[in-house]
Amino acid sequence: EAGVTQFPSHSVIEKGQTVTLRCDPISGHDNLYWYRRVMGKEIKFLLHFVKESKQDESGMPNNRFLAERTGGTYSTLKVQPAELEDSGVYFCASTKVGTEAFFGQGTRLTVV
Amino acid sequence: EDQVTQSPEALRLQEGESSSLNCSYTVSGLRGLFWYRQDPGKGPEFLFTLYSAGEEKEKERLKATLTKKESFLHITAPKPEDSATYLCAVRPGSSNTGKLIFGQGTTLQVKP
């Protein structure tokens, strides 16, 4: 069974540019989460999808971040325009109802 | 406010030297405490879930225990391949989304 896959592994962009991160969850997992780890801090929740619907966006930093989940399958997280403080590692996780979360390898985003 | 604190931040052990990692938590209704292992450049890898005080889980050289205020990850006779960052996370009962609240992690180094 394939795990959670994230693209790209690394991204270096200039301040003001746009970046789109992608997450392919485990097949059959309706729940999809985005998390972020900023350097020196703990991993923090960003948002939660159930199928294609956003259940909780309480962790999204601001309106420069836009997440979508097309047809309840893969998800994208777009940052536009990127700021220096957006640098960090972005993780995606998927679960079945009430079970443990399986994480992808993360996307390391560096904004210069 | 839901919070997770892990200690120590870093731990160096000699191969075979047993020790314990601590995870203290305050949460509004616990719906699970999770231990993950994270290797450099990779996503968190699931180890254990604990749900109620007194519960214990074991896997190879690792044993996780839970009380009403904290969890311990006991490492018995560690080997160099146990070197990693160990993350503790809780799933608050106040949230119906299943999101996780993470601690900052304990980075374990086991020297041969």
Side-chain angles (χ1 to χ4, degrees):
Chain A
E1 179 182 80
V4 177
T5 309
Q6 293 187 242
F7 305 95
S9 296
H10 297 87
S11 181
V12 181
I13 62 172
E14 292 185 351
K15 176 182 173 181
Q17 289 186 321
T18 298
V19 63
T20 300
L21 314 180
R22 172 170 169 148
C23 169
D24 287 74
I26 294 173
S27 178
H29 283 195
D30 288 340
N31 294 279
L32 187 150
Y33 299 83
W34 284 98
Y35 291 86
R36 177 175 73 171
R37 185 167 197 165
V38 173
M39 186 177 292
K41 301 286 187 180
E42 69 274 19
I43 296 174
K44 284 193 172 180
F45 167 81
L46 295 177
L47 87 158
H48 170 217
F49 283 99
V50 175
K51 298 185 180 179
E52 68 277 5
S53 299
K54 292 177 186 175
Q55 286 293 108
D56 184 353
E57 297 183 80
S58 61
M60 294 287 262
N62 50 61
N63 59 10
R64 295 186 292 103
F65 288 75
L66 176 64
E68 295 179 327
R69 189 176 182 192
T70 306
T73 56
Y74 70 91
S75 175
T76 57
L77 180 64
K78 182 162 69 175
V79 185
Q80 179 182 28
E83 298 289 345
L84 298 179
E85 63 264 26
D86 301 333
S87 296
V89 182
Y90 290 76
F91 292 104
C92 174
S94 71
T95 79
K96 291 183 178 179
V97 176
T99 65
E100 66 272 14
F102 293 88
F103 283 79
Q105 83 280 11
T107 294
R108 181 174 294 279
L109 174 64
T110 302
V111 182
V112 297
Chain B
E1 182 183 354
D2 301 321
Q3 192 170 0
V4 177
T5 303
Q6 292 187 246
S7 62
E9 288 186 12
L11 182 62
R12 288 183 178 182
L13 300 173
Q14 288 296 129
E15 184 172 3
E17 180 187 1
S18 300
S19 187
S20 296
L21 281 54
N22 177 262
C23 170
S24 297
Y25 64 91
T26 54
V27 65
S28 50
L30 182 69
R31 290 199 296 134
L33 183 141
F34 301 80
W35 282 98
Y36 285 85
R37 168 189 172 130
Q38 187 175 20
D39 292 294
K42 296 191 176 181
E45 176 187 347
F46 171 75
L47 293 174
F48 304 109
T49 309
L50 302 167
Y51 290 102
S52 56
E55 190 174 357
E56 299 182 352
K57 294 269 181 78
E58 283 190 69
K59 180 181 179 180
E60 296 180 354
R61 295 176 293 282
L62 300 177
K63 179 180 176 180
T65 61
L66 181 66
T67 72
K68 288 186 177 180
K69 294 182 179 180
E70 58 191 351
S71 176
F72 291 94
L73 185 64
H74 307 278
I75 304 177
T76 303
K79 298 182 178 182
E81 53 262 40
D82 294 321
S83 298
T85 295
Y86 290 86
L87 300 169
C88 173
V90 297
R91 179 173 283 164
S94 60
S95 168
N96 62 356
T97 68
K99 69 181 180 184
L100 298 175
I101 309 296
F102 279 88
Q104 287 199 313
T106 294
T107 300
L108 172 65
Q109 183 180 31
V110 182
K111 293 191 172 184

PDB file of all heavy atoms in Angstrom, chain B residues 58-79:
ATOM      1  N   GLU B  58       3.885  -1.892  23.769  1.00  0.00           N
ATOM      2  CA  GLU B  58       5.292  -2.227  23.559  1.00  0.00           C
ATOM      3  C   GLU B  58       5.559  -2.570  22.108  1.00  0.00           C
ATOM      4  O   GLU B  58       4.704  -3.131  21.421  1.00  0.00           O
ATOM      5  CB  GLU B  58       5.692  -3.439  24.412  1.00  0.00           C
ATOM      6  CG  GLU B  58       5.902  -3.151  25.866  1.00  0.00           C
ATOM      7  CD  GLU B  58       6.519  -4.338  26.595  1.00  0.00           C
ATOM      8  OE1 GLU B  58       7.698  -4.637  26.332  1.00  0.00           O
ATOM      9  OE2 GLU B  58       5.821  -4.949  27.418  1.00  0.00           O
ATOM     10  N   LYS B  59       6.772  -2.219  21.695  1.00  0.00           N
ATOM     11  CA  LYS B  59       7.213  -2.586  20.356  1.00  0.00           C
ATOM     12  C   LYS B  59       8.726  -2.652  20.375  1.00  0.00           C
ATOM     13  O   LYS B  59       9.404  -1.640  20.542  1.00  0.00           O
ATOM     14  CB  LYS B  59       6.757  -1.546  19.333  1.00  0.00           C
ATOM     15  CG  LYS B  59       7.175  -1.835  17.906  1.00  0.00           C
ATOM     16  CD  LYS B  59       6.673  -0.717  16.984  1.00  0.00           C
ATOM     17  CE  LYS B  59       7.096  -0.949  15.544  1.00  0.00           C
ATOM     18  NZ  LYS B  59       6.597   0.142  14.656  1.00  0.00           N
ATOM     19  N   GLU B  60       9.246  -3.857  20.271  1.00  0.00           N
ATOM     20  CA  GLU B  60      10.691  -4.101  20.305  1.00  0.00           C
ATOM     21  C   GLU B  60      11.286  -3.484  21.576  1.00  0.00           C
ATOM     22  O   GLU B  60      10.917  -3.887  22.683  1.00  0.00           O
ATOM     23  CB  GLU B  60      11.351  -3.553  19.046  1.00  0.00           C
ATOM     24  CG  GLU B  60      10.884  -4.264  17.779  1.00  0.00           C
ATOM     25  CD  GLU B  60      11.534  -3.735  16.520  1.00  0.00           C
ATOM     26  OE1 GLU B  60      12.277  -2.740  16.580  1.00  0.00           O
ATOM     27  OE2 GLU B  60      11.306  -4.332  15.466  1.00  0.00           O
ATOM     28  N   ARG B  61      12.180  -2.522  21.461  1.00  0.00           N
ATOM     29  CA  ARG B  61      12.840  -1.958  22.640  1.00  0.00           C
ATOM     30  C   ARG B  61      12.073  -0.774  23.238  1.00  0.00           C
ATOM     31  O   ARG B  61      12.536  -0.157  24.202  1.00  0.00           O
ATOM     32  CB  ARG B  61      14.261  -1.495  22.260  1.00  0.00           C
ATOM     33  CG  ARG B  61      15.171  -2.645  21.853  1.00  0.00           C
ATOM     34  CD  ARG B  61      16.532  -2.145  21.392  1.00  0.00           C
ATOM     35  NE  ARG B  61      16.444  -1.385  20.148  1.00  0.00           N
ATOM     36  CZ  ARG B  61      16.322  -1.956  18.958  1.00  0.00           C
ATOM     37  NH1 ARG B  61      16.272  -3.267  18.841  1.00  0.00           N
ATOM     38  NH2 ARG B  61      16.252  -1.197  17.865  1.00  0.00           N
ATOM     39  N   LEU B  62      10.920  -0.461  22.692  1.00  0.00           N
ATOM     40  CA  LEU B  62      10.147   0.685  23.135  1.00  0.00           C
ATOM     41  C   LEU B  62       8.905   0.260  23.902  1.00  0.00           C
ATOM     42  O   LEU B  62       8.228  -0.690  23.517  1.00  0.00           O
ATOM     43  CB  LEU B  62       9.721   1.534  21.940  1.00  0.00           C
ATOM     44  CG  LEU B  62      10.824   2.122  21.063  1.00  0.00           C
ATOM     45  CD1 LEU B  62      10.229   2.857  19.885  1.00  0.00           C
ATOM     46  CD2 LEU B  62      11.730   3.023  21.861  1.00  0.00           C
ATOM     47  N   LYS B  63       8.630   1.033  24.956  1.00  0.00           N
ATOM     48  CA  LYS B  63       7.407   0.797  25.732  1.00  0.00           C
ATOM     49  C   LYS B  63       6.830   2.147  26.106  1.00  0.00           C
ATOM     50  O   LYS B  63       7.529   2.988  26.674  1.00  0.00           O
ATOM     51  CB  LYS B  63       7.709   0.007  26.991  1.00  0.00           C
ATOM     52  CG  LYS B  63       6.492  -0.258  27.873  1.00  0.00           C
ATOM     53  CD  LYS B  63       6.906  -1.059  29.101  1.00  0.00           C
ATOM     54  CE  LYS B  63       5.764  -1.280  30.053  1.00  0.00           C
ATOM     55  NZ  LYS B  63       6.190  -2.067  31.249  1.00  0.00           N
ATOM     56  N   ALA B  64       5.551   2.358  25.783  1.00  0.00           N
ATOM     57  CA  ALA B  64       4.892   3.613  26.089  1.00  0.00           C
ATOM     58  C   ALA B  64       3.868   3.385  27.188  1.00  0.00           C
ATOM     59  O   ALA B  64       3.135   2.390  27.174  1.00  0.00           O
ATOM     60  CB  ALA B  64       4.201   4.175  24.854  1.00  0.00           C
ATOM     61  N   THR B  65       3.819   4.332  28.144  1.00  0.00           N
ATOM     62  CA  THR B  65       2.869   4.265  29.240  1.00  0.00           C
ATOM     63  C   THR B  65       2.134   5.592  29.347  1.00  0.00           C
ATOM     64  O   THR B  65       2.606   6.626  28.861  1.00  0.00           O
ATOM     65  CB  THR B  65       3.584   3.961  30.572  1.00  0.00           C
ATOM     66  OG1 THR B  65       4.512   5.019  30.857  1.00  0.00           O
ATOM     67  CG2 THR B  65       4.335   2.635  30.495  1.00  0.00           C
ATOM     68  N   LEU B  66       0.978   5.558  30.009  1.00  0.00           N
ATOM     69  CA  LEU B  66       0.144   6.752  30.091  1.00  0.00           C
ATOM     70  C   LEU B  66      -0.456   6.913  31.475  1.00  0.00           C
ATOM     71  O   LEU B  66      -0.954   5.949  32.058  1.00  0.00           O
ATOM     72  CB  LEU B  66      -0.996   6.675  29.053  1.00  0.00           C
ATOM     73  CG  LEU B  66      -1.949   7.865  28.986  1.00  0.00           C
ATOM     74  CD1 LEU B  66      -1.234   9.124  28.507  1.00  0.00           C
ATOM     75  CD2 LEU B  66      -3.129   7.545  28.067  1.00  0.00           C
ATOM     76  N   THR B  67      -0.377   8.152  32.006  1.00  0.00           N
ATOM     77  CA  THR B  67      -1.111   8.514  33.205  1.00  0.00           C
ATOM     78  C   THR B  67      -2.056   9.654  32.833  1.00  0.00           C
ATOM     79  O   THR B  67      -2.131  10.043  31.664  1.00  0.00           O
ATOM     80  CB  THR B  67      -0.175   8.990  34.340  1.00  0.00           C
ATOM     81  OG1 THR B  67       0.341  10.294  34.006  1.00  0.00           O
ATOM     82  CG2 THR B  67       0.985   8.019  34.526  1.00  0.00           C
ATOM     83  N   LYS B  68      -2.736  10.229  33.817  1.00  0.00           N
ATOM     84  CA  LYS B  68      -3.688  11.288  33.511  1.00  0.00           C
ATOM     85  C   LYS B  68      -3.005  12.608  33.137  1.00  0.00           C
ATOM     86  O   LYS B  68      -3.654  13.514  32.599  1.00  0.00           O
ATOM     87  CB  LYS B  68      -4.624  11.514  34.696  1.00  0.00           C
ATOM     88  CG  LYS B  68      -5.611  10.382  34.875  1.00  0.00           C
ATOM     89  CD  LYS B  68      -6.626  10.692  35.956  1.00  0.00           C
ATOM     90  CE  LYS B  68      -7.645   9.565  36.066  1.00  0.00           C
ATOM     91  NZ  LYS B  68      -8.666   9.830  37.107  1.00  0.00           N
ATOM     92  N   LYS B  69      -1.696  12.700  33.409  1.00  0.00           N
ATOM     93  CA  LYS B  69      -1.010  13.965  33.145  1.00  0.00           C
ATOM     94  C   LYS B  69       0.185  13.830  32.214  1.00  0.00           C
ATOM     95  O   LYS B  69       0.678  14.823  31.690  1.00  0.00           O
ATOM     96  CB  LYS B  69      -0.535  14.597  34.453  1.00  0.00           C
ATOM     97  CG  LYS B  69      -1.637  15.044  35.361  1.00  0.00           C
ATOM     98  CD  LYS B  69      -1.061  15.714  36.610  1.00  0.00           C
ATOM     99  CE  LYS B  69      -2.170  16.191  37.542  1.00  0.00           C
ATOM    100  NZ  LYS B  69      -1.614  16.856  38.759  1.00  0.00           N
ATOM    101  N   GLU B  70       0.691  12.599  32.045  1.00  0.00           N
ATOM    102  CA  GLU B  70       1.894  12.439  31.252  1.00  0.00           C
ATOM    103  C   GLU B  70       2.014  11.043  30.665  1.00  0.00           C
ATOM    104  O   GLU B  70       1.321  10.107  31.067  1.00  0.00           O
ATOM    105  CB  GLU B  70       3.136  12.774  32.089  1.00  0.00           C
ATOM    106  CG  GLU B  70       3.289  11.941  33.336  1.00  0.00           C
ATOM    107  CD  GLU B  70       4.370  12.470  34.271  1.00  0.00           C
ATOM    108  OE1 GLU B  70       5.130  13.384  33.884  1.00  0.00           O
ATOM    109  OE2 GLU B  70       4.476  11.973  35.404  1.00  0.00           O
ATOM    110  N   SER B  71       2.924  10.962  29.704  1.00  0.00           N
ATOM    111  CA  SER B  71       3.240   9.682  29.089  1.00  0.00           C
ATOM    112  C   SER B  71       4.752   9.537  29.080  1.00  0.00           C
ATOM    113  O   SER B  71       5.486  10.522  28.984  1.00  0.00           O
ATOM    114  CB  SER B  71       2.698   9.621  27.662  1.00  0.00           C
ATOM    115  OG  SER B  71       3.072   8.415  27.025  1.00  0.00           O
ATOM    116  N   PHE B  72       5.187   8.303  29.188  1.00  0.00           N
ATOM    117  CA  PHE B  72       6.608   8.021  29.108  1.00  0.00           C
ATOM    118  C   PHE B  72       6.864   7.063  27.957  1.00  0.00           C
ATOM    119  O   PHE B  72       6.070   6.143  27.708  1.00  0.00           O
ATOM    120  CB  PHE B  72       7.116   7.382  30.405  1.00  0.00           C
ATOM    121  CG  PHE B  72       7.128   8.316  31.572  1.00  0.00           C
ATOM    122  CD1 PHE B  72       6.047   8.377  32.445  1.00  0.00           C
ATOM    123  CD2 PHE B  72       8.206   9.151  31.804  1.00  0.00           C
ATOM    124  CE1 PHE B  72       6.050   9.246  33.521  1.00  0.00           C
ATOM    125  CE2 PHE B  72       8.224  10.028  32.880  1.00  0.00           C
ATOM    126  CZ  PHE B  72       7.133  10.070  33.742  1.00  0.00           C
ATOM    127  N   LEU B  73       7.995   7.293  27.291  1.00  0.00           N
ATOM    128  CA  LEU B  73       8.470   6.352  26.288  1.00  0.00           C
ATOM    129  C   LEU B  73       9.774   5.780  26.834  1.00  0.00           C
ATOM    130  O   LEU B  73      10.775   6.477  26.922  1.00  0.00           O
ATOM    131  CB  LEU B  73       8.703   7.041  24.943  1.00  0.00           C
ATOM    132  CG  LEU B  73       9.091   6.120  23.785  1.00  0.00           C
ATOM    133  CD1 LEU B  73       7.954   5.155  23.462  1.00  0.00           C
ATOM    134  CD2 LEU B  73       9.467   6.925  22.545  1.00  0.00           C
ATOM    135  N   HIS B  74       9.696   4.510  27.248  1.00  0.00           N
ATOM    136  CA  HIS B  74      10.852   3.852  27.823  1.00  0.00           C
ATOM    137  C   HIS B  74      11.616   3.150  26.713  1.00  0.00           C
ATOM    138  O   HIS B  74      11.025   2.418  25.911  1.00  0.00           O
ATOM    139  CB  HIS B  74      10.412   2.830  28.883  1.00  0.00           C
ATOM    140  CG  HIS B  74       9.518   3.398  29.936  1.00  0.00           C
ATOM    141  ND1 HIS B  74      10.008   4.093  31.023  1.00  0.00           N
ATOM    142  CD2 HIS B  74       8.161   3.396  30.066  1.00  0.00           C
ATOM    143  CE1 HIS B  74       8.997   4.484  31.785  1.00  0.00           C
ATOM    144  NE2 HIS B  74       7.861   4.078  31.219  1.00  0.00           N
ATOM    145  N   ILE B  75      12.924   3.353  26.701  1.00  0.00           N
ATOM    146  CA  ILE B  75      13.773   2.709  25.703  1.00  0.00           C
ATOM    147  C   ILE B  75      14.742   1.787  26.439  1.00  0.00           C
ATOM    148  O   ILE B  75      15.591   2.255  27.222  1.00  0.00           O
ATOM    149  CB  ILE B  75      14.540   3.758  24.873  1.00  0.00           C
ATOM    150  CG1 ILE B  75      13.555   4.719  24.228  1.00  0.00           C
ATOM    151  CG2 ILE B  75      15.388   3.075  23.819  1.00  0.00           C
ATOM    152  CD1 ILE B  75      14.197   5.836  23.451  1.00  0.00           C
ATOM    153  N   THR B  76      14.600   0.506  26.185  1.00  0.00           N
ATOM    154  CA  THR B  76      15.406  -0.500  26.873  1.00  0.00           C
ATOM    155  C   THR B  76      16.548  -0.961  25.983  1.00  0.00           C
ATOM    156  O   THR B  76      16.325  -1.351  24.839  1.00  0.00           O
ATOM    157  CB  THR B  76      14.548  -1.706  27.264  1.00  0.00           C
ATOM    158  OG1 THR B  76      13.461  -1.254  28.078  1.00  0.00           O
ATOM    159  CG2 THR B  76      15.358  -2.743  28.009  1.00  0.00           C
ATOM    160  N   ALA B  77      17.751  -0.891  26.505  1.00  0.00           N
ATOM    161  CA  ALA B  77      18.958  -1.325  25.795  1.00  0.00           C
ATOM    162  C   ALA B  77      18.977  -0.783  24.372  1.00  0.00           C
ATOM    163  O   ALA B  77      18.971  -1.557  23.395  1.00  0.00           O
ATOM    164  CB  ALA B  77      19.065  -2.850  25.801  1.00  0.00           C
ATOM    165  N   PRO B  78      18.983   0.542  24.210  1.00  0.00           N
ATOM    166  CA  PRO B  78      18.898   1.114  22.862  1.00  0.00           C
ATOM    167  C   PRO B  78      20.095   0.779  21.999  1.00  0.00           C
ATOM    168  O   PRO B  78      21.208   0.537  22.492  1.00  0.00           O
ATOM    169  CB  PRO B  78      18.819   2.616  23.140  1.00  0.00           C
ATOM    170  CG  PRO B  78      19.488   2.798  24.453  1.00  0.00           C
ATOM    171  CD  PRO B  78      19.136   1.574  25.251  1.00  0.00           C
ATOM    172  N   LYS B  79      19.846   0.825  20.684  1.00  0.00           N
ATOM    173  CA  LYS B  79      20.878   0.612  19.681  1.00  0.00           C
ATOM    174  C   LYS B  79      21.029   1.901  18.860  1.00  0.00           C
ATOM    175  O   LYS B  79      20.110   2.740  18.845  1.00  0.00           O
ATOM    176  CB  LYS B  79      20.489  -0.545  18.767  1.00  0.00           C
ATOM    177  CG  LYS B  79      20.346  -1.881  19.487  1.00  0.00           C
ATOM    178  CD  LYS B  79      20.003  -2.998  18.519  1.00  0.00           C
ATOM    179  CE  LYS B  79      19.924  -4.325  19.246  1.00  0.00           C
ATOM    180  NZ  LYS B  79      19.639  -5.452  18.313  1.00  0.00           N
TER     181      LYS B  79
END
